[in-house]
């Protein structure tokens, strides 16, 4: 559906204004789809992102700085996110052997199992993008990269 119809706005000041509004609208639309899926598992988008990062590093532990650098949501309080994931049993934290001031974080078996269960749901959510063929998806991704410079 066209943005104009979705937000009931007939015109925009210029194509750039429409693009900004369209990106924000689409981000919120996609996020709400994903949040609904994760909520059933008691997981937030940010927590999912942390678990995804840790699964990519598994079986090696990850320092806090690596997690912070790779988070999609740069505004997240990483320490608080990790506290909640530890409480739920999805990760473990230990002092780094080489430097006691640092913390190593590792995804737990239950965290890996949770992600494994969510993989199909995430694939289903990604299927909403099937309106775009591979070339269009690549082009859009490249354009967004270009936009960010």
């Amino acid at each position: 559906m066209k943005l104009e119809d979705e937000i009931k706005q007939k015109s925009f000041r210029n194509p750039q204004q429409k693009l900004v509004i369209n990106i924000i609208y689409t981000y919120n639309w996609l996020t709400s789809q994903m949040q609904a899926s994760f909520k059933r598992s008691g997981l937030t988008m940010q927590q999912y992102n942390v678990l995804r990062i840790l699964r990519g590093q598994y079986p090696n532990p990850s320092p806090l700085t690596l997690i912070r650098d790779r988070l999609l949501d740069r505004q997240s309080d990483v320490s608080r996110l990790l506290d909640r994931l530890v409480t739920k049993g999805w990760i473990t934290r230990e002092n780094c052997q080489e430097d006691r001031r640092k913390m190593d974080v590792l995804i737990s078996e239950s965290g890996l199992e949770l992600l494994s269960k969510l993989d199909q749901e995430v694939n289903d959510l990604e299927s909403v993008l099937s309106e775009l063929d591979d070339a269009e998806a690549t082009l859009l991704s490249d354009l967004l990269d270009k936009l960010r410079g």
Side-chain angles (χ1 to χ4, degrees), residues 83-121:
D83 288 344
R84 289 187 182 122
L85 292 170
V86 167
T87 300
K88 293 179 179 186
W90 293 329
I91 67 168
T92 60
R93 277 190 307 198
E94 296 178 359
N95 286 330
C96 177
Q97 296 296 333
E98 292 82 35
D99 185 347
R100 291 257 181 230
R101 294 171 296 168
K102 294 183 180 178
M103 194 67 74
D104 280 336
V105 183
L106 185 67
I107 190 168
S108 68
E109 287 299 321
S110 64
L112 289 169
E113 289 172 14
L114 174 66
L115 285 182
S116 181
K117 289 177 190 173
L118 287 172
D119 282 343
Q120 185 56 51
E121 286 188 52

